[in-house]
Amino acid sequence: MSTESSLDSGIQEPGKDAQLRADALDYHRSPTRGKIEVVATKPLSNQRDLSLAYSPGVAYACEEIAADPAMAAEYTSRGNLVAVISNGTAVLGLGNIGPLASKPVMEGKGCLFKKFAGVDVFDLELAENDPDKLIDAIAMLEPTVGGINLEDIKAPECFYIEKKLSERMKIPVFHDDQHGTAIISSAALLNALKVVGKDIGSVKLAASGAGAAAIACLDMMVSMGVKRENIFVTDSKGVIWRGREASMEANKARFAQETEARTLADIVRDADVFLGCSTAGVLTGEMVKTMADRPVILALANPEPEIRPEVAKAARPDCIVATGRSDYPNQVNNVLCFPYIFRGALDCGATRITEEMKLACVSAIAELTQAEANDAVAAAYAGQDLRFGPDYIIPKPFDPRLMAAIAPSVAAAAEASGVAARPITDMDAYRERLAAMIYHTSFFMRPVFAKARAKPRRVAYAEGFDARVLRAVQTVVDEGLAQPVLIGRGPDIEQAIRDAGLRMRRDADYTLVECGDDTTACGTRLLASGKVDALICGMQGSYDSHLAHVQRDIGLAPGAQVMAAMNALVLDKGTLFITDTYVNDQPSAEELAAIARMASEELRQFGLEPKAALLSHSIFGSSSRPSAQRVREAREILAREAPGLDVIGEVHGDAALDENIRAIYLPDGQPNFEGSANLLVMPSLDSANILFNVLKVSSGKGVTVGPILLGAAKSVHILSPSATVRRIVNMTALAVADVKDA
């Protein structure tokens, strides 16, 4: 994502620094200290489990591995385990802060590996600055992990360390600060040159910076076709020219030129490409004016680039600019690469990362950018132009197609270059498995947030005086999700803002609507009259009391038969939606069918394709009790009225989630339903609410979205008194995304 780290960063407005610091520290401290934990993948609940997990059963796995070391990938986690290793000598923006202080960064890197590619990580911070001793320590880890990701180790030692480890170890070794940046920037260069119509073999490239990232980028670009004689480089001492003695080492010397140029301004003149891996502001608008026509500018210093895109565009409107920042188009973001290159390398048992694997990654990223955006990508980045061109030369980080595009290409390149110990035989099946994996993460809120930011709406908060609401609204303001309207007594709200230490200002950041005791009634009247676009309520009092106001003042949406509530749970194996959790006690067959249809439409707001299961104590006609008959009839109604909906019923809960269990009971003629359901339509309010709350505590770690109110004529959601700040923020984004244009 930048020249030195995979963690996103950007310049904060001065007023936000204190709040950001407090929020970041609270994030790292609560509810559990740190960002990672080790979780067992097998049950350990009885003596039988204990005998399998440890003595005597564990001996059999040990014997298999002793006889054939390749079996470690079958019987241990090693085949999906990467060590993220640093000595803290070159941490982005912080410098040599040492291994202990670098640990939050390494934990964060582990989180990205897991979330984006399902790769497990041990973060290891080593108190060793001697390169040879560090090499020895890391090499001893080979029996433990399937790959090594080096991070934040200063140059030039990082070159030596990676080279020696790659020669010594039989597992992939990758220095992300070097090669992650090189891969993403090279893909950006390929696409930018395609946009401007220039041949890579003839362009002149001027580089600012000669550290680990810069040298790796230049080496990769040479591999792709940039001629070494057309590359001119500066460092802190000026141009790297042949014969210069000051601050030279072997990696720099490879790019020394016979030239009279001595400054960055000298080498930028007539250059087609600028590569910056250095420091803020070194490239000026005047320098850009001297570049060749339609120049490509890769200004990758973080958090502040070598030149701001608006400055470069003002000097040369024909230029293409990429930076390491997320608040501009064309972000060079390492998270586009490192999770997926390791995913492919681990899955094929690669013994090292080859140049062919890196180039395959470059090509896959470049080609994906040029592909037409599918529905999921368009939903994730609603309101943004995702057409290949000057402002879209690199994929977006949350493009769900990245893993399925990159990992197979890397695995195939590993096999072609002779380093794949377990070649993948069915690449199509592998791609399908990877595509399914990415949707089993907690990123399902991303499309909703993107829609909200694309068109912020007026959202009223009935409990505008509640501290949780106010903290959530501060986030909503900072992230540009909505235009908040706080309902309540003005003095109470303003005092609560001061007590919480928030920065919100009346009339600048939020609108105040004075209201007495029944603030939800005020909110529903505002919504009904069109003075606000959406409403959030329910933080105090009973759900039914708020629902009564919504039913009276807002009513049903056109064509809706019933209102219903749906909750989402973020579980380890995916996101699960459950309905109806709050509204209908014993919904009829017609109501169950209507609820399933409404819920399915709502899932599409998250970029998810609904797979609905109508749950019952009965399975495929095994009971004639009235509750089972209602569910069975609902399935028949859906078959007639929504034939395109992927739905199964009536089924047991386990059969809905496990196709192996389902196959035992599946009768002939039952419509094909593959995989696991992501929408559970429950036969009663009691069953839905009980299941949701049990899963929330036992499996969901408290990460939930909802209740989502379905069927109302306008965008309104009734939360619960237990709602957290994060849930209020999530529901605000969803409320904005749910607003229908008149």
Side-chain angles (χ1 to χ4, degrees):
M1 75 183 32
S2 73
T3 59
E4 298 296 334
S5 175
S6 61
L7 294 180
D8 197 5
S9 59
I11 293 296
Q12 295 292 324
E13 296 175 18
K16 294 184 180 180
D17 286 347
Q19 184 68 43
L20 178 64
R21 180 182 180 84
D23 289 347
L25 292 177
D26 183 62
Y27 176 88
H28 282 78
R29 183 186 298 118
S30 301
T32 303
R33 292 178 178 85
K35 298 192 288 284
I36 59 173
E37 66 179 353
V38 177
V39 178
T41 61
K42 304 291 190 300
L44 193 60
S45 55
N46 55 45
Q47 183 60 40
R48 175 65 172 169
D49 291 343
L50 183 60
S51 68
L52 295 173
Y54 203 57
S55 182
V58 71
Y60 299 112
C62 294
E63 289 171 349
E64 290 290 316
I65 297 169
D68 181 1
M71 288 296 99
E74 288 292 316
Y75 298 120
T76 76
S77 63
R78 183 175 181 268
N80 193 53
L81 186 61
V82 167
V84 172
I85 300 177
S86 180
N87 62 1
T89 53
V91 179
L92 173 67
L94 301 172
N96 187 355
I97 60 174
L100 184 59
S102 76
K103 187 172 179 64
V105 179
M106 304 312 130
E107 285 189 357
K109 190 68 173 279
C111 292
L112 297 179
F113 264 109
K114 185 66 173 178
K115 289 296 184 182
F116 281 99
V119 174
D120 294 316
V121 163
F122 287 158
D123 69 288
L124 301 172
E125 297 74 32
L126 303 181
E128 183 56 71
N129 289 346
D130 183 291
D132 290 308
K133 291 181 179 178
L134 195 60
I135 290 166
D136 286 341
I138 295 171
M140 286 188 284
L141 294 170
E142 186 163 349
T144 300
V145 297
I148 302 289
N149 184 96
L150 302 174
E151 190 80 10
D152 293 348
I153 299 173
K154 70 181 181 73
E157 290 91 335
C158 61
F159 299 110
Y160 174 72
I161 291 168
E162 185 195 27
K163 181 176 184 295
K164 290 299 182 182
L165 286 173
S166 296
E167 293 170 353
R168 184 167 168 179
M169 303 181 80
K170 299 302 181 185
I171 57 175
V173 178
F174 187 76
H175 186 200
D176 185 46
D177 301 331
Q178 293 183 58
H179 302 298
T181 304
I183 287 167
I184 310 305
S185 60
S186 296
L189 178 61
L190 273 183
N191 280 343
L193 292 178
K194 184 169 186 175
V195 171
V196 300
K198 293 185 179 181
D199 174 46
I200 195 169
S202 60
V203 296
K204 175 187 175 183
L205 188 153
S208 173
I215 295 298
C217 288
L218 294 174
D219 284 339
M220 180 67 70
M221 291 171 182
V222 168
S223 296
M224 288 167 30
V226 179
K227 289 186 168 55
R228 192 181 296 271
E229 60 266 28
N230 292 340
I231 296 175
F232 297 81
V233 185
T234 62
D235 62 6
S236 61
K237 303 296 184 182
V239 173
I240 296 175
W241 51 278
R242 200 163 293 159
R244 194 186 91 172
E245 297 181 359
S247 187
M248 290 290 283
E249 50 91 16
N251 286 297
K252 290 183 184 181
R254 289 190 285 112
F255 290 96
Q257 291 277 32
E258 290 282 359
T259 178
E260 298 298 319
R262 292 295 182 268
T263 68
L264 180 62
D266 293 338
I267 65 171
V268 164
R269 183 177 300 277
D270 298 323
D272 299 282
V273 179
F274 170 82
L275 171 67
C277 299
S278 54
T279 191
V282 297
L283 183 68
T284 67
E286 291 304 311
M287 294 182 193
V288 173
K289 288 179 181 178
T290 70
M291 295 181 73
D293 67 299
R294 305 193 76 186
V296 176
I297 298 172
L298 308 177
L300 308 183
N302 239 348
E304 185 66 18
E306 286 79 2
I307 188 169
R308 286 272 186 145
E310 60 269 25
V311 176
K313 293 278 190 181
R316 289 292 297 274
D318 61 341
C319 70
I320 293 178
V321 186
T323 71
R325 291 173 58 121
S326 61
D327 52 350
Y328 290 105
N330 299 328
Q331 184 193 14
V332 174
N333 188 324
N334 288 15
V335 83
L336 292 170
C337 165
F338 69 81
Y340 313 120
I341 198 168
F342 269 102
R343 180 75 277 157
L346 291 171
D347 289 342
C348 72
T351 55
R352 61 189 176 93
I353 302 289
T354 65
E355 286 302 308
E356 292 83 358
M357 293 163 73
K358 296 173 193 173
L359 289 170
C361 194
V362 171
S363 297
I365 292 169
E367 290 169 8
L368 181 59
T369 318
Q370 298 173 40
E372 181 178 335
N374 65 12
D375 293 342
V377 181
Y381 295 93
Q384 298 186 35
D385 188 353
L386 302 179
R387 293 173 296 179
F388 179 63
D391 289 332
Y392 189 63
I393 58 171
I394 318 172
K396 296 291 187 180
F398 288 93
D399 190 325
R401 302 170 297 175
L402 279 164
M403 184 156 62
I406 297 173
S409 298
V410 169
E415 182 179 1
S417 51
V419 299
R422 301 186 304 275
I424 294 170
T425 55
D426 189 339
M427 201 60 76
D428 289 337
Y430 179 55
R431 287 191 180 91
E432 290 178 7
R433 180 165 66 85
L434 293 174
M437 187 186 299
I438 193 63
Y439 290 105
H440 290 169
T441 70
S442 62
F443 291 110
F444 78 109
M445 281 300 298
R446 290 289 171 173
V448 176
F449 272 70
K451 288 180 184 178
R453 289 192 185 97
K455 196 169 185 179
R457 304 283 193 156
R458 300 165 297 173
V459 178
Y461 299 83
E463 293 87 2
F465 46 83
D466 188 291
R468 290 168 297 169
V469 170
L470 293 174
R471 290 189 180 280
V473 169
Q474 181 70 73
T475 300
V476 167
V477 170
D478 291 344
E479 297 192 12
L481 298 175
Q483 303 168 32
V485 177
L486 301 181
I487 302 173
R489 294 184 176 89
D492 294 343
I493 291 175
E494 290 170 1
Q495 184 60 50
I497 291 173
R498 288 192 293 272
D499 291 345
L502 303 177
R503 295 170 280 103
M504 293 186 299
R505 296 167 297 154
R506 180 175 172 178
D507 298 328
D509 298 314
Y510 71 91
T511 302
L512 173 67
V513 173
E514 289 279 356
C515 185
D517 294 332
D518 197 341
T519 54
T520 295
C522 292
T524 53
R525 287 196 293 268
L526 286 170
L527 184 58
S529 65
K531 293 179 181 177
V532 298
D533 302 302
L535 172 65
I536 300 291
C537 61
M539 298 295 295
Q540 298 183 10
S542 70
Y543 190 95
D544 287 347
S545 65
H546 295 280
L547 180 62
H549 288 298
V550 174
Q551 290 172 328
R552 182 193 65 209
D553 295 334
I554 306 302
L556 288 170
Q561 296 173 244
V562 66
M563 290 186 192
M566 177 170 67
N567 285 76
L569 285 156
V570 179
L571 306 175
D572 289 338
K573 293 186 177 180
T575 302
L576 195 61
F577 293 79
I578 300 172
T579 189
D580 173 14
T581 45
Y582 282 93
V583 178
N584 301 282
D585 287 337
Q586 296 285 339
S588 67
E590 290 78 10
E591 289 170 336
L592 285 171
I595 291 168
R597 288 198 302 271
M598 291 190 300
S600 296
E601 284 302 312
E602 192 68 23
L603 259 67
R604 293 190 174 97
Q605 287 279 37
F606 300 91
L608 298 174
E609 191 59 31
K611 294 176 68 66
L614 304 173
L615 296 198
S616 172
H617 73 277
S618 172
I619 182 164
F620 303 133
S622 66
S623 171
S624 59
R625 296 189 183 193
S627 63
Q629 290 179 7
R630 282 190 296 112
V631 176
R632 201 173 306 140
E633 290 170 14
R635 175 68 186 89
E636 293 170 358
I637 293 170
L638 288 170
R640 294 194 305 269
E641 298 181 359
L645 179 62
D646 200 3
V647 61
I648 194 168
E650 83 280 17
V651 290
H652 294 162
D654 56 354
L657 302 178
D658 189 325
E659 61 184 354
N660 294 319
I661 296 174
R662 193 163 60 242
I664 298 170
Y665 299 94
L666 193 67
D668 292 338
Q670 181 72 24
N672 188 34
F673 186 94
E674 296 181 352
S676 175
N678 56 13
L679 170 60
L680 305 182
V681 181
M682 307 300 291
S684 68
L685 185 151
D686 279 345
S687 60
N689 195 282
I690 291 169
L691 175 62
F692 165 68
N693 282 296
V694 168
L695 287 177
K696 178 176 69 175
V697 174
S698 65
S699 304
K701 301 178 183 178
V703 183
T704 69
V705 176
I708 302 166
L709 186 62
L710 309 171
K714 297 202 173 188
S715 181
V716 52
H717 297 294
I718 305 168
L719 307 191
S720 63
S722 64
T724 62
V725 171
R726 190 70 240 173
R727 199 184 309 173
I728 299 168
V729 173
N730 286 340
M731 293 306 296
T732 298
L734 184 59
V736 173
D738 280 339
V739 173
K740 303 295 191 295
D741 289 313

